[in-house]
Amino acid sequence: MRATNEDGLGTLLTEARRPDTEAFDRLTALGMVEAMHRADGEALEAVRGALPELAGVVEQVATRLRRGGRLLYAGAGTSGRLGVLDASECVPTFNVPPG
């Protein structure tokens, strides 16, 4: 499904087309990896601006887990598969019980 303005998703930056990749399939291999590298850098900068808020979320989740709470993942398609991969890292990375 393509995001449209009718469904409200077309106005989200995450759903917008990137002008520098409109002809991605016609770029050279170097052009493709340069475009992806630029996008990765933009993502890192966006996350940098949200670090205090992300740290707050981490603290809240940790507090709730210590009280017996659970961390639930939800997603569909690629996000769902990435959630499964991310969740599988909780045990070895953060020493949480497998359940």
Side-chain angles (χ1 to χ4, degrees):
M1 176 180 103
R2 180 173 294 223
T4 66
N5 286 332
E6 292 81 36
D7 60 20
L9 296 177
T11 58
L12 297 174
L13 181 59
T14 57
E15 305 306 316
R17 289 182 173 261
R18 292 182 57 92
D20 62 332
T21 60
E22 294 254 342
F24 191 79
D25 59 324
R26 293 190 290 276
L27 294 175
T28 64
L30 179 58
M32 289 178 180
V33 294
E34 286 174 340
M36 290 188 287
H37 184 66
R38 277 192 306 275
D40 288 345
E42 291 172 16
L44 290 173
E45 285 306 310
V47 169
R48 180 189 315 273
L51 289 176
E53 291 84 1
L54 291 169
V57 170
V58 169
E59 290 170 357
Q60 290 179 27
V61 169
T63 297
R64 286 166 175 79
L65 288 173
R66 280 193 290 275
R67 292 181 188 158
R70 298 181 297 159
L71 176 61
L72 302 176
Y73 282 80
T78 300
S79 352
R81 289 187 295 277
L82 292 175
V84 170
L85 290 173
D86 191 47
S88 71
E89 283 299 315
C90 289
V91 175
T93 303
F94 300 108
N95 197 30
V96 298

